[in-house]
């Protein structure tokens, strides 16, 4: 199988060199195997032929009908020139329009001839028209036996669609099957297929491209989803087995003076039971002899940072250095300030390194890291630069891991000849089933208690019509001595529209909350770091009553006196982001509020997100819903570096049952054959390589 199907796509009839280059450039399809595993995203019923009068506006995305050409015409000039044909079937008439390939199409259209027309319907002043439809004489269309009554619709690009329409792409797949269909070899062991009731591979691929019935399509999808998730699980589980087989972890046997003094004298509040449990789990990892690889999940404000600091102090007590990588400069500097304050009086030297660190200070930090006089380093992705070399890095904390690409995180792992212990932290709750897929090689710890004295944040939804009511509420809270966040969705810092939203909003608030009675600060990604720091300082110190910001303040910023979070255009945020933003308030003992502002018109999905936010503060429930609404997306951050699992058909969120089965199957297979070296498992070894093959760095060691 692998040899023949690895042939270039140009060898499929109807492709050739030019189309092969286009397919590779536009869709990454290079070989026959690539095209065979390029599945339709939906199917259309080609057995149904409409009467023109039956076609209604908005009812169907693609339609097919018979019609006789009653006239042709040219209109427009130059680039706007178009060719039109009017067709009628007795019930009504439709206009067919072509802007490109006019010379080719006019030779193929004959007035008085009957054609089968297929395309996307649109209506203008009640008249049906189709732009660039596929047409074929009725005689030719009905002389050919279709492979299936359901024709696959393949995702394409504008450039490719202009060369190969929906039908053209489908015909390529038909041609591929004629030359490659008999070359497909099964790679799952017969016993595994029988145990799980899986369709043979050749039959599954045939029914995915040319479904013979709805039930056979369902079975084919199940088989290919099973294969993909099994491949992922085999890769993850074998990496885990391999990692645990190497007794290569740094040992932290000593609970020394620094940890004890901090724990007994410096803790800001007693640890919750959940925090104690996680510290114990980390402690056990660091005396096991294995390299720790642990994911720490905890809702916003659950005290993950304190657990991370205690773990880092264990490293310091055992003569190792530790570092924490944060996703933004604001958060890195806040962690640094927190650590310096908490560790005051202890013999622990902390440094902060970001892209904005000045050259002289940077040189001093690099020297301190190299000679071991700096014990803890906090920073942004500046930590992964090659110049940053540690004396003896033993413990790495990665905060909000989904903000970093996998390769970025991996570079930290190479900062020592022997890999350091890794603690990956996230306040984005990841449902257990998804964590099993994306982080199956990590041990998962959860902090599921909030510190005592925390009140749930009250969340309400206002539309723009209630803005005066909102401003009145903000004045009430400020009169009580509280502070207010107002957040705008700046998705990319270059988006002028979003930037305008924020500046207009700032001006409106400054007008309604005038100086000197009210002080409003502003913070966004276009500001100089020093100006950003000054705005945050004003707000933290209480000098500013209102902070107008972009979602740059989403993660980790801690101002206990802030009790109101106003989120403008809340419909433009994902659920996990809304939940993170809400977590900026409710950090003191006072009742806090999150106000979601939207326009009047909302999509069904946006309305579901807003309703969920108002109904629950449980991050895990919200994460489950977010995944259902949006799919698994980029929760593991790998798409930032193009290294995500290459899943063509499976969805770890929606295919939970298959995911659980494949996890159990992978563990059983590896228990009997840890290296997949047995002859009957050769295909499984290839499958694992396909879905988890990593060329440069062993990513399972990171997250």
């Amino acid at each position: 199988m692998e040899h023949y199907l690895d042939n270039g796509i140009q060898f499929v009839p109807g492709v050739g060199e030019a189309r092969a280059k286009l397919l590779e450039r536009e869709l990454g399809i290079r070989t026959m195997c690539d095209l065979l595993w390029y599945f339709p995203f939906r199917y259309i019923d080609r057995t149904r032929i409409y009467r023109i009068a039956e076609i209604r506006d908005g009812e169907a995305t693609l339609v097919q009908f018979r019609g006789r050409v009653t006239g042709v015409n040219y209109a427009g000039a130059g680039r706007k020139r178009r060719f039109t044909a009017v067709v009628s079937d007795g019930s009504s008439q439709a206009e067919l329009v072509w802007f490109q390939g006019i010379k080719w199409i006019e030779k193929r259209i004959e007035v008085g001839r009957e054609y089968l027309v297929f395309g996307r319907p649109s209506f203008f002043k009640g008249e049906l028209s189709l732009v660039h439809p596929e047409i074929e004489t009725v005689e030719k269309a009905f002389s050919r036996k279709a492979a299936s009554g359901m024709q696959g619709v393949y995702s394409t690009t504008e450039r490719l669609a202009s060369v190969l329409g929906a039908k053209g792409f489908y015909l390529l797949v038909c041609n591929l099957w004629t030359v490659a269909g008999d070359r497909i070899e099964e790679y799952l062991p017969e016993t595994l297929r029988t145990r799980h009731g899986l369709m043979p591979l050749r039959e599954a691929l045939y029914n995915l491209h040319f479904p013979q019935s709805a039930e056979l399509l369902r079975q084919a999808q199940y088989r290919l989803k099973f294969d993909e998730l099994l491949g992922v699980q085999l890769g993850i589980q074998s990496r885990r087995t391999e990692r645990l087989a190497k007794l290569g972890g740094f040992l932290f046997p000593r609970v020394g003076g620094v940890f004890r003094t901090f724990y007994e004298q410096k803790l800001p509040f007693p640890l919750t039971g959940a925090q104690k449990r996680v510290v114990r789990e980390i402690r056990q990892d660091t005396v096991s002899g294995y390299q720790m690889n642990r994911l720490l999940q905890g809702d916003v404000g659950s005290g993950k940072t304190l657990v991370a600091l205690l773990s880092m102090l264990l490293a310091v007590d055992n003569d190792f250095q530790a570092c924490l990588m944060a996703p933004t400069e604001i958060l890195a500097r806040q962690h640094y300030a927190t650590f310096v304050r908490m560790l005051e009086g202890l013999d622990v030297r902390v440094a902060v390194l970001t892209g904005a660190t000045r050259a002289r200070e940077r040189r001093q930090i690099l020297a301190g890291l190299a000679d071991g006089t700096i014990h803890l380093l906090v920073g942004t992705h500046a930590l992964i630069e090659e110049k940053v070399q540690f004396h003896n890095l033993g413990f790495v904390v990665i905060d909000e891991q989904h903000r970093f690409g996998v390769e970025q995180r991996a570079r930290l792992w190479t900062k020592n000849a022997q890999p350091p212990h890794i603690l990956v932290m996230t306040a984005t709750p990841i449902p257990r089933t998804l964590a099993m897929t994306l982080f199956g090689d990590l041990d998962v710890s959860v902090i599921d208690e909030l510190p005592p004295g925390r009140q749930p944040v009250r969340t309400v939804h206002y539309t723009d019509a209630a803005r005066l009511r909102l401003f009145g509420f903000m004045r009430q809270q400020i009169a009580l001595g509280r502070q207010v966040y107002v957040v705008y969705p700046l998705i990319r810092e270059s988006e002028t529209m979003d930037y305008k939203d924020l500046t207009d909003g700032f001006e409106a608030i400054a007008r309604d909350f005038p100086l000197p009675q009210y002080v409003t600060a502003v913070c966004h990604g276009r500001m100089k770091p020093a100006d950003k720091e000054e705005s945050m300082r004003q707000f933290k110190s209480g000098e500013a009553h209102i902070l107008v910001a972009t979602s740059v303040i989403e993660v980790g910023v801690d101002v206990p006196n802030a009790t109101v979070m106003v989120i403008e255009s809340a419909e433009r945020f994902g659920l996990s982001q809304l939940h993170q933003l809400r977590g900026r308030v409710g950090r003191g003992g006072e009742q806090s509020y999150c106000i979601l502002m939207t326009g009047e018109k909302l999509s069904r999905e946006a309305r579901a997100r807003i309703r969920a936010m108002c109904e629950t503060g449980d991050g895990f429930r919200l994460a489950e819903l977010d995944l259902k609404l949006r799919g698994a997306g980029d929760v593991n951050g790998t798409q930032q570096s193009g290294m995500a699992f290459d899943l063509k058909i499976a969805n770890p969120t929606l295919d939970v049952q298959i995911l659980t089965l494949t996890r159990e199957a992978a563990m059983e297979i590896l228990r009997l054959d840890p290296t997949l070296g047995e002859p009957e498992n050769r295909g499984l070894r290839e499958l694992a390589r396909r879905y988890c093959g990593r060329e440069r760095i062993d990513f399972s060691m990171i997250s």
Side-chain angles (χ1 to χ4, degrees):
M1 165 189 163
E2 62 186 62
H3 300 302
Y4 182 76
L5 293 179
D6 281 342
N7 277 321
I9 195 71
Q10 69 269 24
F11 298 113
V12 173
V15 178
E17 292 292 338
R19 282 185 175 180
K21 282 178 183 168
L22 191 62
L23 282 162
E24 182 172 5
R25 187 167 65 244
E26 296 294 305
L27 298 177
I29 293 174
R30 194 173 52 80
T31 66
M32 292 182 182
C33 190
D34 292 337
L35 184 56
L36 201 54
W37 259 263
Y38 194 79
F39 303 130
F41 69 93
R42 65 188 172 87
Y43 299 86
I44 47 175
D45 183 359
R46 289 301 291 256
T47 60
R48 176 165 187 190
I49 296 175
Y50 285 82
R51 302 282 287 162
I52 294 175
E54 291 175 339
I55 300 167
R56 299 272 179 271
D57 194 1
E59 228 174 70
T61 52
L62 289 162
V63 294
Q64 178 173 246
F65 58 87
R66 291 172 69 160
R68 198 173 298 279
V69 176
T70 59
V72 294
N73 194 18
Y74 290 95
R79 294 182 70 180
K80 292 189 177 176
R81 192 164 185 259
R82 62 188 184 275
F83 175 71
T84 63
V86 176
V87 293
S88 169
D89 69 351
S91 74
S92 188
Q93 65 176 31
E95 184 181 53
L96 314 181
V97 185
W98 288 269
F99 295 93
Q100 293 170 339
I102 291 174
K103 284 183 180 172
W104 186 86
I105 201 77
E106 68 181 346
K107 287 175 188 167
R108 281 158 179 76
I109 287 205
E110 209 179 300
V111 175
R113 193 114 191 231
E114 193 180 13
Y115 294 88
L116 188 68
V117 180
F118 175 74
R120 193 177 302 280
S122 61
F123 285 82
F124 180 68
K125 292 185 178 175
E127 297 294 315
L128 172 65
S129 68
L130 289 85
V131 177
H132 283 264
E134 295 172 13
I135 66 162
E136 199 172 17
T137 62
V138 165
E139 298 84 7
K140 190 175 176 187
F142 292 119
S143 68
R144 190 179 59 247
K145 185 183 181 298
S148 165
M150 288 191 278
Q151 183 183 309
V153 181
Y154 296 82
S155 177
T156 185
T157 65
E158 198 174 336
R159 179 97 185 270
L160 193 57
S162 67
V163 177
L164 276 173
K167 188 172 174 187
F169 199 102
Y170 174 76
L171 289 174
L172 279 192
V173 180
C174 293
N175 293 347
L176 169 70
W177 193 265
T178 60
V179 296
D182 292 334
R183 307 287 192 123
I184 295 164
E185 293 174 18
E186 183 59 69
Y187 47 70
L188 289 191
E190 184 64 30
T191 49
L192 184 70
R193 271 205 318 104
T194 308
R195 190 181 318 133
H196 292 282
L198 300 170
M199 180 184 265
L201 180 63
R202 186 182 181 281
E203 199 182 323
L205 286 167
Y206 186 76
N207 277 284
L208 265 163
H209 291 292
F210 317 110
Q212 299 303 295
S213 71
E215 173 56 23
L216 286 169
L217 173 61
R218 189 196 65 75
Q219 288 182 36
Q221 289 169 332
Y222 186 92
R223 161 68 205 258
L224 271 296
K225 287 176 178 184
F226 190 97
D227 287 8
E228 289 192 334
L229 293 173
L230 179 65
V232 170
Q233 288 299 328
L234 283 170
I236 285 173
Q237 298 303 329
S238 58
R239 294 269 171 90
R240 179 184 174 82
T241 308
E242 206 178 297
R243 176 167 63 85
L244 294 178
K246 298 174 190 164
L247 278 167
F250 290 126
L251 288 168
F252 296 175
R254 213 165 46 244
V255 180
V258 172
F259 183 97
R260 286 188 189 285
T261 307
F262 180 81
Y263 190 84
E264 289 161 11
Q265 298 173 21
K266 300 278 186 178
L267 274 186
F269 48 78
L271 296 185
T272 62
Q275 284 174 311
K276 286 178 181 171
R277 184 184 70 243
V278 174
V279 172
R280 274 198 303 273
E281 286 167 354
I282 292 168
R283 168 95 182 102
Q284 282 159 7
D285 285 348
T286 60
V287 295
S288 67
Y290 299 113
Q291 183 246 349
M292 182 183 88
N293 225 10
R294 190 168 283 279
L295 173 69
L296 174 56
Q297 294 191 68
D299 221 334
V300 176
S302 60
K304 296 183 299 296
T305 308
L306 192 55
V307 168
L309 179 57
L310 283 162
S311 309
M312 291 161 87
L313 294 181
L314 273 177
V316 173
D317 268 339
N318 287 277
D319 301 320
F320 289 97
Q321 292 164 297
C323 73
L324 182 149
M325 185 161 77
T328 65
E329 178 159 351
I330 286 175
L331 186 52
R333 292 197 176 275
Q334 181 178 293
H335 279 318
Y336 170 70
T338 302
F339 288 178
V340 167
R341 187 180 72 247
M342 285 185 169
L343 297 171
E344 193 181 351
L346 295 178
D347 185 22
V348 179
R349 189 174 164 210
V350 189
V352 61
L353 184 66
T354 71
T357 305
R358 290 199 166 91
R360 186 178 164 201
E361 191 185 346
R362 182 181 294 266
R363 280 196 299 273
Q364 291 171 345
I365 291 169
L366 294 181
L369 291 172
D371 65 19
T373 53
I374 291 177
H375 305 105
L376 302 185
L377 179 65
V378 181
T380 56
H381 56 271
L383 300 189
I384 61 181
E385 291 169 6
E386 273 186 42
K387 289 178 184 172
V388 181
Q389 295 296 330
F390 292 83
H391 175 67
N392 194 13
L393 180 64
F395 199 94
V396 171
V397 180
I398 298 166
D399 193 15
E400 286 310 320
Q401 59 81 32
H402 66 285
R403 298 297 198 83
F404 299 103
V406 172
E407 289 196 70
Q408 284 180 309
R409 305 196 291 259
R411 276 189 231 152
L412 269 178
W413 176 73
T414 61
K415 294 287 182 183
N416 207 338
Q418 192 175 328
H421 294 298
I422 307 268
L423 180 67
V424 172
M425 302 199 301
T426 182
T428 305
I430 302 160
R432 181 178 165 272
T433 50
L434 192 59
M436 274 181 357
T437 312
L438 302 173
F439 309 113
D441 59 304
L442 277 79
D443 299 302
V444 179
S445 293
V446 178
I447 300 181
D448 48 12
E449 287 176 62
L450 287 180
R454 287 279 172 92
Q455 292 187 49
V457 177
R458 199 171 296 163
T459 305
V460 292
H461 173 211
Y462 285 175
T463 60
D464 290 329
R467 194 161 294 282
L468 290 176
R469 189 171 158 200
L470 167 71
F471 284 176
F473 179 68
M474 286 165 63
R475 286 191 193 95
Q476 275 176 17
Q477 288 290 302
I478 292 168
L480 291 169
R482 317 273 185 259
Q483 290 166 280
V484 179
Y485 290 105
V486 181
V487 176
Y488 285 84
L490 191 90
I491 295 161
R492 280 192 296 273
E493 287 171 7
S494 62
E495 283 192 30
T496 49
M497 184 182 75
D498 295 328
Y499 180 60
K500 183 173 174 293
D501 285 353
L502 180 132
T503 36
D504 285 356
F506 176 66
E507 284 166 15
I509 285 170
R511 229 179 6 254
D512 277 85
F513 294 84
L515 289 162
Q517 188 180 355
Y518 301 101
V519 177
T520 303
V522 65
C523 181
H524 60 77
R526 288 188 175 190
M527 293 166 68
K528 291 177 183 167
D531 295 340
K532 234 187 306 192
E533 290 294 316
E534 175 56 21
S535 290
M536 290 305 302
R537 187 202 61 75
Q538 282 185 326
F539 193 64
K540 280 184 182 177
S541 66
E543 290 172 36
H545 304 101
I546 301 168
L547 179 68
V548 176
T550 62
S551 51
V552 75
I553 59 108
E554 173 191 338
V555 179
V557 175
D558 192 1
V559 182
N561 192 43
T563 58
V564 181
M565 168 62 71
V566 179
I567 304 174
E568 295 284 356
S569 305
E571 70 273 20
R572 291 178 62 185
F573 290 96
L575 259 180
S576 60
Q577 210 178 10
L578 288 171
H579 183 58
Q580 289 268 4
L581 286 166
R582 174 166 62 184
R584 298 305 106 228
V585 294
R587 301 177 86 85
E590 306 301 329
Q591 177 63 58
S592 291
Y593 305 86
C594 176
I595 298 164
L596 306 173
M597 299 296 294
T598 70
E600 298 290 341
K601 288 184 178 175
L602 290 178
S603 68
R604 194 165 59 195
E605 191 182 302
R607 205 171 287 284
R609 284 200 302 270
I610 301 292
R611 191 184 310 118
M613 281 292 293
C614 295
E615 286 173 2
T616 181
D618 181 340
F620 282 90
R621 270 186 62 196
L622 289 173
E624 292 275 8
L625 182 62
D626 202 19
L627 287 164
K628 282 185 181 128
L629 290 172
R630 295 191 307 155
D634 191 24
V635 78
N636 67 338
T638 50
Q639 284 180 13
Q640 297 166 40
S641 55
M643 299 297 291
F645 298 126
D646 188 19
L647 298 179
K648 309 277 187 200
I649 189 170
N651 181 321
T653 317
L654 304 177
D655 301 319
V656 170
Q657 187 187 2
I658 307 175
L659 173 66
T660 308
L661 284 172
T662 55
R663 181 176 168 80
E664 288 165 2
M667 290 168 89
E668 177 62 14
I669 290 161
L670 290 167
R671 186 181 67 77
L672 299 171
D673 182 10
T675 61
L676 299 177
E678 297 293 331
E680 70 268 23
N681 289 335
R682 194 187 66 190
L684 292 177
R685 195 163 64 243
E686 288 302 312
L687 188 67
R689 192 174 297 148
R690 182 190 304 168
Y691 290 103
C692 285
R694 298 297 187 231
E695 297 298 318
R696 287 158 288 179
I697 296 167
D698 183 352
F699 287 93
S700 76
M701 307 297 274
I702 316 303
S703 66

